[in-house]
Structures are given as structure tokens and as C-alpha cells.
């Protein structure tokens, strides 16, 4: 394996661990088969009804419900085959020191089975899977089955998140100074667990939803003057960014503030950082940051709140210029959010109520239009200082 | 051929005139029907001369156009003219039966109601009237006598007759007679009749008739040459034949005044008690005495001395007495095996089954109902089940809508038996009885006699249940085969994956074998011997 030479030790040990776990989990299947038992995969159910909100830890968790996927069950035999197929492909990639993406795995496993229907005697064809969502789904099943995230199996995905700040990390065999990235930023690698935190001079983490606002704050040296680590998820956060933020909070005890648009979609992005995606709760235990704080932009920042005795950050005329009318989707999402336990606090109720009353939203960019200085020197530091954030 | 009887019992009955005037009732109402009826009567005689005597029938039917077309006017016995539209045909039917005693030939063909079939034994035609009606019809329409060639099994001679009927006197007229030496083993009878017929209009019916005859007599070879020169051969598919019917004495419940009168006149019994015991079935001395007591007649009275009043009283007492039901021993049913074979050979179905019911009784007449079902494959789908009706092994082709068999078949809820109409479903019903309860004089439809109707329904339902269990088993088999394929097609991928996941410790072939074995263990109705049966290629 020629390219194996360049593997870092971290990478190698991660591979070996994944290989061992997969091998041992599937040895049970072999044992079933060789003893004349129906080979059965017992996997925790990834359904909404089997998703539990762990209030003490602020996490979503999978419940006790399991599904049994067995070879001899007509309704499950294809999924059984698909799960084994994906496992064997991942296993092979691990052994061959490869770094497949989920798209690669889709292509590697996709092939045609030509078979004869015993009733009609006709020859038929069937693909192991047709669309990537099918292979993606069994990858998730495999993650739950072996209790390992895909990143731990060296499956890569597109890098999306970026970070900059006063911190040095080790990635692979290199030391990277996150304060020496020039006008650029460090792309958070798809396997954030292989990052080693070396030293830092940072007081908090500021996660900005919008890449453009992240760049603006980076250019004026916000992280330098405020001892902040700036992170952007560039929209809906990917798994690597979430895991990276989680590690900063959990391992370095850094407070994490999230800055998004002031609308239900922004609130939802905060929710993903905080508890994880409701349909992918099994990731939540590893990816969520339950202590993440929602810094803004709050509805009460835009309109003020007599109930809270809070004055708005925008004047009447600014509001008039910057706010956008809410769409049907925004209202629908707001109502959904109210079903989530972690939004059912009096403080969040104030925010959502204002939204539902005003039916309008505001982008972060509106605040930079008011003045980048306002955002960097007044809005963010002031809110952090007075503790005007939501949990 | 132990059952071969070379001598039958013959007796004379009544005149030709009546039948000449009423030939419609025997099925000779027009040239098309007459041609069909002639074929039918001669074929039935041919089969009776063979299978009844345990000879495997070889029947050859040839219809020839003899030229001379168009219509002709005939003068009937009452002097009025009748128009016959048709063509001159000859119908010749040859069998390999027992042959006829030569001395009986003139009367057997030239005198109505002279027959060997008067004794109580089920055969195709009860009175042997049909063939003579055909001769009579031919004689009326063409003026030509019938030709008969016959030779009995052990005879060294072949006899040839040209015979017609003297209608007024009901006596045979012999036009020609000759005797030839026989130097081979041939035996049987050839009958040739000339008549005015209509082939085009009877063609379908004649073919249907022969096909349906082939269904119910799968042990027969039937050769047919039609006037267009087409030759069809219905080959025998078995050498097994139904058990020949036995002769039995009449059951008291089954006789009427006329028959009783004749029996009293003919009996050799010295006393009434002896008469009842000797001439009837299921009558012992005790029963006989009870009947006579009920009729107020002395047991030792001479049978010939009874007055009409005495006979009426005797009849009344018979009907009122308790007498054990008649047996079905004299009935010649086909049996399930032969019906199934006939249906299979002729209709080429996917499934065939049959049922023969036990003998039952109506009005003192024993009868047996048999039913068969052919389903699927080459059976043509139809909105109503295709019905093949038979009475005493004779296919019934006319008046289907009036027949109780049709009524019963249409009253069955077929979906309860797993059949959704229209469906490729044929139902065969066969009634055997010494007296089939025909509707009207045409003898083409069976009447709604409650006992008969009930037996038909029970027979059809019984055989329908066989179809149902076949269909549900088939559905289950399909279901399981589908399941098996669903699982089996993934075996190669599963084996390959497990091979990889165990670092090659288990060979793919070994894993495939184990997986297939596991699957086969679960299957109950089929086994997949090799994965190759299902998986063609994984690429």
C-alpha cells in the first residue's frame, strides 16, 4: 500500500480501532449463520418515537427500542444485505487506507443483481440500491449498530466549517496556528476527533451562521481584540463543525455563543448546535453542545420587550428599512419549534411570541448595514457582557 | 373380454306409424338437426356395442356428400307435401363391437321398439329407437334403404343387409341380403344411411358432439371424416374402461301401470307372491305379502288373472309400502379417473378433478351423478363456466339454458371456491340412470327433479372444493416462491460481504451454501437446489 507510508499515527490508530469494532460486531452474524440460526442485526431504532430528550444533559438520545433486521425476513432481507454490503465496503476501505466519501460508498456498492422469478420464470434485474439516500440510510444504521460515527471510520465529507483565532492545533502531523491564517481561515477537517488542541489564548467561541459576516469580523480582527475563537458553519452546520464546537466547549470549557439570523430558521440552526437534529438523534450524544448559548439576533433585540424591560438595538426607522416579512414556511417552523422541549422556556416564549406577533424577520447582515463597528464593538460585546443570551 | 355377451334379449314392442308422425320428438325436425342426430344415434349404438361389453371402442364415422343438392318435396304419410332444404349425404358408422345375430338384424333395424335394451341396464339409448328413427328419416328423405354389415365375435361369416321399414305395418323390408366368409378376426357392425342433411348448419354441433364424446370416453378411438375431406382422430388415452353395468330387475317404485301389466302377462311365476319376489329387486317374501295385503289381493292368485282394478290396487299398495331403495349396481358411471383423463386430454387444462357420488334415488329410479372440473391453461376463459352435460354418457348439446345442470352451475358462488369469473373454467356433469328425468320429449335437457338437483349441486360443490384447495395451495406456493426469491437473490452479496468482514476466513461458496441451507430450512413447499436457479448474475 504505497500511500500508506504517509498515514499519520492518529489516522492509523483510528483505522485500527474501527476495523476491530466492525469485525467483532459482525462476527456475531457469522456465528449465527454457522450455528444454523437466522443471522440478525439488532439495531437501535432511529425513529422519532424512539428519540428521547435527556433533559439533565440537554441531549437527544435513542431510546431502548430496537429493530431486528434478519436475513430470513422478507421485508428486511434487502436492508440486511445492504447493511452488510456497506459494512464490507467500509471495512475494505479502512484496510486499504482509503478515505471514501458517502458518495464513493454509494458508487462502490451499487451493482445489479440479475435473477429469475420462480413464479413467472422471467429474468428480472434489481440494483443493490438506486439512490444515494438508500446507501446513506444504511450508513446511519451501521453507525448505530457499531456505535461509531462515520468520521471514526475515516469517511470524509465536504469541508464547510472554518475557524480562526488565537489557538494552535495539531492536525495530522502538522501544527497549525489559527492566528496565522492571513485573510483566510482553517477549514475544519472532516475528522475533528483527530485534532489535538495545543495552546490558546481565547475566552469564548463565537459561532456565526453566515460566512460573509464571519469574514467581515475576521478582517477587522474581532478575534484578536475580543480574545474570541471565530467559527462559521456557513449555513446549516455540518457534522465536523458541530463536533469541533462540542470539543471546544467540553474539553476546553470555553463558552460557545451562536449568532444567527433573527428568524425561526436561525433559531433552528442554534437548536442543531445545541441538541442536534431530531431525526439523527444518535449523533447528538457526540455532536451536540448542550451548553451552547444563543446570542442573537433575538426578536427582542429588534423590537425590544416591555415584559423584559429591554430596549431595542434598532431605531424605528432602521427597523422599517431592515425587517423582512415572514413567509409561510417561517411561521410553520416557528410552530414546530414550540413543540421542542428546549424551546419551551419563558424566555424563548417571549422571542417566539414577538415573531408570531410581528411576523417579520431580520438577517444579521442588517446589523452590519447599520455599521460593522456597531456589530463588532457594541452589539456582540455588550450582549456577552450583560449576559443577554438564551440557553 | 370376459363380459362379452354375444346374445342379447330381444322383444317386439309397438308400431312405426306413431314415430313417423312424431319424428320431431326424436330430434329429426330439420336437415341440420337430422344429420347431427343420425351421427349421434349411430355413434351411441357403436359405443354401446363395444364398451358395454368391455371392448375398447374403435369407432369410424364418415359423412360424405353424395351429390344432388337443393330441395326436394316429399309426400308424408298423411298425403301432405313437405319441403326439405338440404343435400344428399351418407353417414357411415363402423364399430368393433360384438356384432348382431343375423336373424335379428331385419327387426333390429327395420322394426320400431324392437330392442335389446328393454331390460333394466343403463345404456346410452333406452329403447334403441334412435338408430331406427335415423333409418326412417333417411328412407323418407331419400327413398333409400339402410345398409348393415355385421359379424359376431365367434362367427365365421359376415352378413350384409339392405333394410327399410314398412311404416304402415311396422315390419322390416329386406331389399338385399348376402353372407360372406370371414377370414380374419374382425367383428362389429357397419351401418350406412343416406339422408338429406345440412352439413354447414350442423358442422359445429357434430364436432362438439364428437369432442364431448371423446371427453367422456377417453378409452375410445374415434375417427371422423367430414364431407369437406377433413379427418380428425380422437385417440384413446387409456385402456381402462368403466365397469360394465349389470342387469337388474326393476324396483317396484320405478314401474308404472303399463309396465306392471306387461310384466304380469309375461311372468312365469305361478303366484302373485312369487311374481313380486322374482320379478322385482329388493322384494322378499315378507315385503311381498305386505304389499299384497295392502292391495287386498290373495298371495296365491295367478298373475294372469288380475283385473285392471286389481292391478291399480297393486300399484297403489306398492307405492305405499316401505321397500328398500334401489341399488346403483346397474348404473354405468365413468369414475373419477376416467373423467379427469378425458378432461385433461381434450381441454388441456392446468387442473382437473372429478367426483362420483354414491347412488341416489328419485321416484324409484336409481341414479348417480358425477362432476368434473377443468381449470386453467388451454381452457378458454368465459363469463359463465363452460358446461359439459352428459346423460348416460351421451353429450347433451341442445337446450342448455333449460337444463337443471346449468341452473345449478350458475347458482354456485364461484368466488367462494377461489374462482373469479370470467375464468378458464369448465364443469362436466354426468347423470347416469336407467331413467334420466328429461325435460320434455327432446331428451336434451334434464328436468328440475329435487333429488337430482340436490345431487348435482353436492357433486359440483364437492369437486369445486378440490379446485379451491388446489388454487389456495397454488397461491401459497406462489407466495412462498416469491419469498424465496426475494431472499435468495441477495445471498451472493451477503456471502461476499461476510467473506470480506471475516478477512476471507470463510469462503464465499461455503457462506452461500450455509445461507441457502438456512433459507431452504424455512421453506415448506419448495426447495432451491442451487443458487443458480435464482441468481443469474451479480455485476
Amino acid at each position: 500500500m504505497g500511500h500508506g507510508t504517509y498515514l499519520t499515527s492518529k489516522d492509523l490508530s483510528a483505522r485500527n480501532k474501527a476495523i476491530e469494532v466492525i469485525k467483532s460486531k459482525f462476527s456475531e452474524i457469522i456465528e449465527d449463520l454457522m450455528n444454523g440460526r437466522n443471522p440478525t442485526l439488532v439495531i437501535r431504532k432511529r425513529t422519532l418515537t424512539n428519540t428521547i430528550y435527556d433533559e439533565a444533559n440537554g441531549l437527544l438520545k435513542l431510546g431502548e427500542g430496537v429493530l431486528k433486521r434478519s436475513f430470513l425476513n422478507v421485508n428486511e432481507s434487502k436492508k440486511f444485505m445492504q447493511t452488510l454490503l456497506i459494512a464490507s465496503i467500509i471495512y475494505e476501505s479502512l484496510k486499504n487506507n482509503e478515505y471514501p466519501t458517502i458518495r464513493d460508498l454509494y458508487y462502490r456498492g451499487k451493482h445489479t443483481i440479475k435473477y429469475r422469478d420462480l413464479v413467472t420464470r422471467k429474468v428480472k434485474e434489481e440494483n443493490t440500491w438506486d439512490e444515494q439516500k438508500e446507501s446513506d440510510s444504511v450508513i446511519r444504521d451501521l453507525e448505530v449498530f457499531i456505535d461509531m460515527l462515520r468520521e471514526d471510520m475515516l469517511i470524509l465529507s465536504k469541508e464547510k466549517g472554518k475557524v480562526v483565532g488565537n489557538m494552535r492545533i495539531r492536525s495530522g502531523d502538522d501544527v497549525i496556528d489559527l492566528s496565522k491564517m492571513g485573510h483566510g481561515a482553517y477549514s475544519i477537517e472532516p475528522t475533528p476527533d483527530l485534532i489535538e488542541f495545543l495552546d490558546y489564548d481565547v475566552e469564548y467561541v463565537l459561532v456565526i451562521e453566515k460566512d460573509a459576516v464571519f469574514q467581515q469580523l475576521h478582517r477587522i480582527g474581532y478575534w484578536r481584540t475580543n480574545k474570541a475563537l471565530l467559527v462559521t458553519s456557513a449555513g446549516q452546520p455540518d457534522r465536523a463543525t458541530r463536533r469541533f464546537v462540542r470539543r471546544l466547549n467540553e474539553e476546553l470549557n470555553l463558552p460557545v455563543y451562536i449568532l444567527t439570523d433573527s428568524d425561526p430558521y436561525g433559531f433552528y440552526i442554534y437548536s442543531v448546535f445545541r441538541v442536534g437534529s431530531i431525526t439523527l438523534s444518535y449523533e447528538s450524544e457526540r455532536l451536540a453542545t448542550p451548553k451552547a448559548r444563543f446570542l442573537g439576533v433575538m426578536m427582542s433585540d429588534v423590537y425590544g420587550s416591555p415584559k423584559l424591560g429591554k430596549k431595542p438595538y434598532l431605531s424605528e426607522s432602521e427597523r422599517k428599512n431592515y425587517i423582512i416579512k415572514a413567509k409561510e414556511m417561517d411561521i410553520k417552523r416557528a410552530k414546530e419549534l414550540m413543540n421542542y422541549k428546549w424551546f419551551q422556556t419563558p424566555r424563548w416564549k417571549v422571542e417566539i411570541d414577538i415573531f408570531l406577533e410581528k411576523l417579520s424577520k431580520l438577517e444579521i447582515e442588517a446589523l452590519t448595514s447599520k455599521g460593522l463597528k456597531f456589530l463588532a464593538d457594541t452589539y456582540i460585546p455588550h450582549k456577552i457582557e450583560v449576559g443577554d443570551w438564551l440557553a | 373380454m370376459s363380459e362379452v355377451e354375444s346374445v342379447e334379449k330381444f322383444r317386439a314392442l309397438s308400431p312405426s306409424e306413431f314415430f313417423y308422425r312424431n319424428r320431431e320428438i326424436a330430434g329429426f325436425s330439420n336437415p341440420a338437426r337430422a344429420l347431427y342426430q343420425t351421427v349421434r344415434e349411430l355413434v351411441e349404438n357403436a359405443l354401446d356395442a363395444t364398451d358395454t361389453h368391455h371392448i375398447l371402442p374403435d369407432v369410424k364415422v364418415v359423412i360424405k356428400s353424395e351429390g344432388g343438392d337443393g330441395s326436394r318435396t316429399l309426400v308424408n304419410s298423411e298425403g301432405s307435401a313437405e319441403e326439405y332444404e338440404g343435400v344428399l349425404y351418407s353417414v357411415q358408422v363402423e364399430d368393433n363391437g360384438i356384432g348382431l345375430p343375423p336373424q335379428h338384424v331385419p327387426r333390429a333395424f327395420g322394426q320400431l321398439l324392437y330392442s335389446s335394451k328393454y331390460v333394466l341396464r343403463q345404456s346410452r339409448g333406452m329403447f334403441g329407437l334412435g338408430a331406427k328413427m335415423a333409418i326412417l328419416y333417411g328412407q323418407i328423405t331419400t327413398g333409400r334403404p339402410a345398409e348393415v354389415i355385421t359379424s359376431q365375435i365367434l362367427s365365421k361369416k359376415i352378413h350384409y343387409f339392405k333394410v327399410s321399414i314398412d311404416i304402415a305395418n311396422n315390419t322390416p323390408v329386406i331389399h338385399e341380403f348376402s353372407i360372406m366368409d370371414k377370414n380374419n378376426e374382425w367383428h362389429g357392425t357397419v351401418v350406412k344411411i343416406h339422408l338429406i342433411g345440412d352439413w354447414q348448419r350442423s358442422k359445429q354441433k357434430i364436432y362438439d358432439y364428437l369432442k364431448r364424446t371423446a371427453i367422456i370416453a377417453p378409452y375410445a378411438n374415434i375417427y371422423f371424416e367430414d364431407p369437406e375431406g377433413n379427418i380428425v382422430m380422437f385417440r384413446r388415452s387409456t385402456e381402462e374402461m368403466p365397469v360394465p353395468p349389470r342387469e337388474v330387475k326393476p324396483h317396484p317404485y320405478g314401474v308404472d301401470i303399463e309396465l306392471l301389466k306387461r310384466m304380469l302377462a309375461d311372468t312365469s311365476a305361478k303366484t302373485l307372491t312369487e311374481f313380486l319376489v322374482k320379478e322385482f329387486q329388493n322384494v322378499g317374501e315378507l315385503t311381498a305379502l305386505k304389499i299384497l295385503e295392502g292391495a287386498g289381493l290373495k298371495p296365491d292368485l295367478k298373475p294372469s288373472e288380475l283385473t285392471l282394478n286389481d292391478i291399480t290396487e297393486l300399484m297403489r299398495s306398492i307405492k305405499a309400502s316401505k321397500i328398500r331403495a334401489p341399488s346403483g349396481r346397474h348404473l354405468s358411471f365413468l369414475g373419477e379417473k376416467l373423467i379427469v383423463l378425458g378432461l385433461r386430454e381434450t381441454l388441456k387444462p392446468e387442473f382437473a378433478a372429478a367426483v362420483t357420488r354414491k347412488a341416489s334415488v328419485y321416484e324409484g329410479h336409481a341414479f348417480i351423478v358425477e362432476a368434473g372440473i377443468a381449470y386453467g391453461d388451454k381452457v378458454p376463459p368465459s363469463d359463465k363456466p363452460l358446461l359439459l352435460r352428459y346423460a348416460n354418457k351421451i353429450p347433451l348439446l341442445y337446450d342448455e339454458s333449460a337444463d337443471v345442470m346449468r341452473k345449478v352451475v350458475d347458482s354456485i358462488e364461484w368466488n367462494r371456491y377461489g374462482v373469479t369469473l370470467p375464468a378458464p373454467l369448465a364443469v362436466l356433469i354426468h347423470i347416469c340412470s336407467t331413467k334420466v328425468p328429461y325435460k320434455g320429449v327432446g331428451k336434451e335437457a334434464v328436468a328440475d327433479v329435487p333429488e337430482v338437483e340436490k345431487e348435482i349441486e353436492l357433486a359440483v360443490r364437492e369437486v369445486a372444493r378440490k379446485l379451491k384447495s388446489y388454487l389456495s395451495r397454488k397461491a401459497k406456493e406462489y407466495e412462498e416462491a416469491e419469498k424465496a426469491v426475494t431472499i435468495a437473490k441477495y445471498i451472493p452479496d451477503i456471502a461476499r460481504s461476510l467473506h470480506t468482514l471475516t478477512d476471507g476466513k470463510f469462503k464465499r461458496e461455503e457462506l452461500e451454501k450455509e445461507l441457502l441451507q438456512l433459507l431452504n430450512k424455512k421453506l415448506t413447499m419448495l426447495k432451491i437446489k442451487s443458487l443458480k436457479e435464482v441468481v443469474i448474475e451479480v455485476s
Side-chain angles (χ1 to χ4, degrees):
Chain A
M1 281 173 252
H3 57 281
T5 326
Y6 305 105
L7 291 188
T8 65
S9 54
K10 280 229 164 65
D11 186 319
L12 253 179
S13 64
R15 273 178 197 283
N16 288 333
K17 190 186 165 205
I19 286 171
E20 282 317 307
V21 171
I22 293 173
K23 205 193 230 173
S24 94
K25 282 299 270 185
F26 283 94
S27 70
E28 295 165 22
I29 297 299
I30 282 281
E31 205 172 299
D32 277 346
L33 177 61
M34 290 305 166
N35 286 300
R37 290 191 298 263
N38 182 10
T40 305
L41 299 162
V42 181
I43 307 173
R44 283 190 293 161
K45 274 193 209 157
R46 292 192 284 109
T47 56
L48 213 54
T49 48
N50 195 39
T51 300
I52 297 164
Y53 179 58
D54 176 353
E55 276 186 84
N57 295 308
L59 293 169
L60 286 172
K61 278 184 172 172
L62 284 181
E64 295 296 308
V66 291
L67 64 88
K68 287 186 175 177
R69 183 165 293 169
S70 73
F71 164 61
L72 290 179
N73 183 327
V74 182
N75 302 320
E76 290 288 351
S77 59
K78 182 163 195 182
K79 281 264 187 183
F80 178 84
M81 177 275 289
Q82 289 177 332
T83 313
L84 261 67
L85 180 60
I86 206 82
S88 74
I89 295 166
I90 293 170
Y91 188 79
E92 229 163 17
S93 317
L94 285 165
K95 295 197 98 181
N96 293 340
N97 295 325
E98 291 174 309
Y99 301 90
T101 62
I102 51 172
R103 187 108 189 117
D104 292 336
L105 296 175
Y106 160 69
Y107 280 123
R108 279 192 208 179
K110 183 171 180 268
H111 56 254
T112 305
I113 302 165
K114 212 182 202 180
Y115 66 99
R116 190 182 303 280
D117 186 318
L118 289 181
V119 173
T120 60
R121 310 301 303 167
K122 279 187 188 138
V123 174
K124 293 182 176 174
E125 287 189 356
E126 181 181 317
N127 287 338
T128 44
W129 42 65
D130 292 303
E131 291 175 52
Q132 196 188 324
K133 67 177 185 198
E134 288 179 75
S135 58
D136 286 357
S137 167
V138 285
I139 291 170
R140 284 189 209 106
D141 289 336
L142 184 67
E143 288 180 285
V144 176
F145 180 60
I146 66 169
D147 205 12
M148 265 191 153
L149 293 184
R150 63 189 68 169
E151 292 77 12
D152 301 329
M153 296 182 265
L154 283 305
I155 295 166
L156 303 189
S157 46
K158 203 173 91 185
E159 291 172 344
K160 207 171 148 205
K162 292 187 289 187
V163 60
V164 65
N166 227 333
M167 175 182 270
R168 289 193 315 136
I169 60 167
R170 196 193 310 277
S171 172
D173 290 336
D174 299 325
V175 172
I176 294 157
D177 191 335
L178 300 183
S179 67
K180 294 201 163 31
M181 307 305 296
H183 289 158
Y186 175 70
S187 289
I188 299 166
E189 61 173 273
T191 51
D193 275 296
L194 303 188
I195 291 175
E196 190 185 338
F197 301 125
L198 296 173
D199 46 46
Y200 59 96
D201 182 18
V202 168
E203 288 177 353
Y204 63 86
V205 179
L206 180 64
V207 181
I208 300 135
E209 173 197 351
K210 295 272 174 80
D211 188 22
V213 178
F214 167 85
Q215 286 189 45
Q216 287 168 326
L217 290 174
H218 176 27
R219 292 283 179 127
I220 61 164
Y222 179 91
W223 54 269
R224 224 181 280 276
T225 44
N226 291 278
K227 289 200 175 180
L229 198 64
L230 279 188
V231 174
T232 182
S233 61
Q236 176 77 263
D238 64 5
R239 298 158 59 106
T241 309
R242 286 157 64 198
R243 178 66 189 153
F244 183 69
V245 168
R246 159 74 173 267
R247 287 193 61 204
L248 290 171
N249 178 252
E250 193 176 53
E251 293 171 30
L252 307 181
N253 263 316
L254 292 170
V256 170
Y257 297 100
I258 314 271
L259 188 62
T260 70
D261 287 343
S262 186
D263 61 19
Y265 188 68
F267 304 160
Y268 179 71
I269 286 180
Y270 161 71
S271 172
V272 171
F273 272 112
R274 188 189 182 285
V275 286
S277 156
I278 193 128
T279 51
L280 297 170
S281 54
Y282 71 97
E283 312 168 327
S284 167
E285 289 175 50
R286 299 278 310 277
L287 304 184
T289 309
K291 289 181 196 152
R293 296 159 175 180
F294 180 69
L295 188 68
V297 177
M298 298 177 188
M299 281 289 158
S300 59
D301 293 342
V302 183
Y303 291 98
S305 167
K307 203 173 172 185
L308 302 170
K310 181 176 168 179
K311 288 199 175 100
Y313 282 87
L314 297 180
S315 68
E316 181 71 44
S317 64
E318 285 165 340
R319 257 203 310 272
K320 224 178 121 187
N321 289 335
Y322 301 150
I323 59 164
I324 307 166
K325 236 180 124 212
K327 293 192 173 104
E328 210 42 56
M329 265 307 293
D330 296 310
I331 299 160
K332 203 183 149 211
R333 193 177 280 275
K335 287 184 175 156
E336 265 170 33
L337 293 181
M338 289 164 78
N339 292 326
Y340 297 163
K341 272 255 167 64
W342 51 97
F343 282 111
Q344 289 167 357
T345 63
R347 189 60 189 80
W348 268 112
K349 192 173 182 307
V350 172
E351 297 298 326
I352 295 171
D353 282 350
I354 298 172
F355 168 76
L356 289 175
E357 185 202 329
K358 305 289 184 189
L359 292 178
S360 51
K361 53 187 190 178
L362 183 114
E363 291 187 299
I364 326 173
E365 283 90 333
L367 297 185
T368 55
S369 300
K370 184 177 160 80
L372 186 55
K373 270 195 175 331
F374 164 73
L375 182 69
D377 296 347
T378 311
Y379 182 77
I380 303 172
H382 180 256
K383 282 178 68 86
I384 291 175
E385 201 183 308
V386 302
D388 186 14
W389 43 264
L390 301 183
Chain B
M1 273 175 251
S2 60
E3 301 269 340
V4 173
E5 292 172 50
S6 56
V7 178
E8 297 254 308
K9 296 173 182 132
F10 290 89
R11 46 180 302 157
L13 294 174
S14 85
S16 306
E17 189 75 18
F18 173 79
F19 289 99
Y20 173 70
R21 292 181 184 182
N22 298 284
R23 58 193 173 278
E24 287 78 13
I25 66 168
F28 292 85
S29 47
N30 60 60
R33 186 80 190 262
L35 186 57
Y36 158 78
Q37 196 68 28
T38 301
V39 170
R40 183 181 146 166
E41 297 295 356
L42 296 183
V43 168
E44 272 148 27
N45 271 5
L47 290 172
D48 271 344
T50 48
D51 68 3
T52 317
H53 305 276
H54 223 264
I55 298 169
L56 284 169
D58 280 315
V59 178
K60 189 175 170 187
V61 182
V62 181
I63 305 178
K64 274 196 184 134
S65 171
E66 299 284 353
D69 53 8
S71 61
R72 59 177 67 194
T73 306
L74 292 152
V75 179
N76 67 20
S77 63
E78 287 169 329
S80 55
E82 284 181 53
E83 285 289 328
Y84 280 84
E85 288 278 349
V87 181
L88 179 62
Y89 289 100
S90 68
V91 176
Q92 179 177 305
V93 175
E94 177 182 337
D95 66 54
N96 60 333
I98 53 167
L100 291 157
Q103 67 274 23
H104 289 304
V105 169
R107 285 201 290 165
F109 288 90
Q111 184 178 32
L112 295 182
L113 293 187
Y114 178 90
S115 173
S116 70
K117 293 176 183 171
Y118 170 65
V119 282
L120 261 186
R121 179 179 68 185
Q122 178 211 326
S123 57
R124 288 174 175 81
M126 257 308 281
F127 299 109
L129 167 69
K132 275 164 281 194
M133 284 308 297
I135 290 169
L136 194 57
Y137 175 84
Q139 185 182 323
I140 293 165
T141 55
T142 68
R144 297 205 197 187
E147 291 168 75
V148 180
I149 301 167
T150 189
S151 178
Q152 287 182 284
I153 287 175
L154 297 173
S155 166
K156 299 238 182 310
K157 307 283 180 196
I158 298 173
H159 296 88
Y160 172 80
F161 295 87
K162 252 189 184 174
V163 61
S164 65
I165 304 171
D166 176 344
I167 296 168
N169 302 311
N170 189 27
T171 51
V173 181
I174 298 166
H175 301 263
E176 254 184 77
F177 169 69
S178 60
I179 303 173
M180 287 157 277
D181 287 334
K182 184 165 81 175
N183 47 20
N184 57 22
E185 295 292 300
W186 183 80
H187 56 84
T189 304
V190 184
V191 179
K192 187 175 184 179
I193 293 172
H194 285 79
L195 73 159
I196 293 298
D198 186 339
W199 167 247
Q200 285 312 321
R201 287 208 189 108
S202 57
K203 185 177 175 176
Q204 189 57 46
K205 283 283 185 211
I206 290 173
Y207 270 107
D208 276 354
Y209 167 77
L210 292 174
K211 189 176 171 186
R212 290 192 187 192
T213 301
I215 291 176
I216 202 136
Y219 47 83
N221 271 335
I222 301 170
Y223 169 99
F224 177 49
E225 204 178 313
D226 78 12
E228 296 165 40
N230 302 308
I231 294 171
V232 181
M233 181 78 188
F234 298 93
R235 268 179 210 291
R236 82 166 51 91
S237 47
T238 178
E239 303 216 331
E240 199 174 306
M241 289 204 283
V243 181
R246 276 190 253 174
E247 284 181 19
V248 292
K249 294 179 278 187
H251 190 278
Y253 288 166
V255 297
D256 54 24
I257 293 259
E258 286 309 307
L259 188 56
L260 191 57
K261 257 195 236 170
R262 234 176 15 239
M263 288 170 80
L264 284 163
D266 292 355
T267 186
S268 58
K270 302 263 186 309
T271 67
L272 273 184
T273 315
E274 196 192 338
F275 166 73
L276 288 173
V277 172
K278 204 176 149 192
E279 302 290 343
F280 292 96
Q281 58 165 295
N282 296 352
V283 180
E285 217 172 291
L286 211 65
T287 313
L289 289 172
K290 272 187 189 162
I291 291 171
L292 293 174
E293 195 190 331
L297 295 168
K298 287 193 185 119
D300 54 0
L301 213 62
K302 262 187 161 177
S304 54
E305 286 173 355
L306 262 63
T307 64
L308 191 59
N309 197 42
D310 290 342
I311 296 172
T312 313
E313 277 304 302
L314 182 59
M315 192 70 218
R316 194 193 47 72
S317 180
I318 283 172
K319 300 283 179 203
S321 303
K322 253 193 150 168
I323 305 164
R324 196 152 46 83
S327 81
R329 275 178 304 150
H330 56 302
L331 299 177
S332 173
F333 54 88
L334 269 117
E336 295 169 11
K337 222 167 137 189
L338 282 181
I339 295 177
V340 168
L341 194 69
L343 289 172
R344 277 201 190 290
E345 286 297 317
T346 331
L347 298 178
K348 309 268 181 230
E350 170 195 324
F351 170 83
V355 156
T356 300
R357 300 275 308 166
K358 284 214 173 67
S360 197
V361 178
Y362 82 94
E363 294 164 17
H365 307 289
F367 69 99
I368 285 177
V369 173
E370 300 183 278
I373 271 183
Y375 180 88
D377 204 3
K378 300 282 190 302
V379 179
S382 51
D383 294 335
K384 288 207 280 181
L386 174 69
L387 178 58
L388 307 170
R389 297 174 297 139
Y390 296 89
N392 290 342
K393 296 189 230 166
I394 303 171
L396 304 181
L397 295 183
Y398 288 92
D399 303 338
E400 182 176 305
S401 58
D403 198 306
V404 68
M405 301 188 207
R406 182 82 250 173
K407 181 180 152 196
V408 169
V409 168
D410 290 347
S411 73
I412 304 263
E413 326 75 358
W414 288 99
N415 52 352
R416 265 179 49 185
Y417 298 96
V419 177
T420 312
L421 297 169
L425 174 66
V427 178
L428 178 151
I429 299 171
H430 179 212
I431 298 176
C432 359
S433 177
T434 42
K435 191 168 185 234
V436 175
Y438 287 111
K439 202 172 216 174
V441 287
K443 297 199 172 181
E444 285 286 353
V446 176
D448 309 39
V449 175
E451 294 91 335
V452 174
E453 184 176 342
K454 191 180 144 212
E455 274 299 306
I456 293 172
E457 185 176 340
L458 289 172
V460 173
R461 287 197 187 276
E462 195 178 329
V463 76
R465 280 196 293 278
K466 291 188 181 186
L467 175 63
K468 185 190 178 180
S469 71
Y470 167 77
L471 289 175
S472 72
R473 188 181 158 80
K474 191 172 115 177
K476 273 190 201 138
E477 270 174 9
Y478 275 17
E479 204 179 302
E480 188 172 273
E482 241 161 54
K483 263 188 195 174
V485 170
T486 302
I487 294 171
K489 70 185 173 211
Y490 301 133
I491 288 180
D493 275 301
I494 294 169
R496 185 160 59 183
S497 301
L498 288 173
H499 171 73
T500 304
L501 287 166
T502 54
D503 297 326
K505 197 174 127 199
F506 293 93
K507 297 245 176 312
R508 273 168 57 180
E509 296 73 26
E510 185 189 351
L511 291 162
E512 283 183 358
K513 210 186 95 197
E514 290 291 335
L515 287 161
L516 186 62
Q517 208 170 11
L518 208 57
L519 173 60
N520 277 331
K521 227 164 69 187
K522 197 195 175 188
L523 302 176
T524 55
M525 282 176 272
L526 73 144
K527 297 282 172 242
I528 299 173
K529 283 179 211 83
S530 154
L531 212 48
K532 285 183 193 124
E533 285 176 38
V534 178
V535 184
I536 296 160
E537 191 182 17
V538 177
S539 59

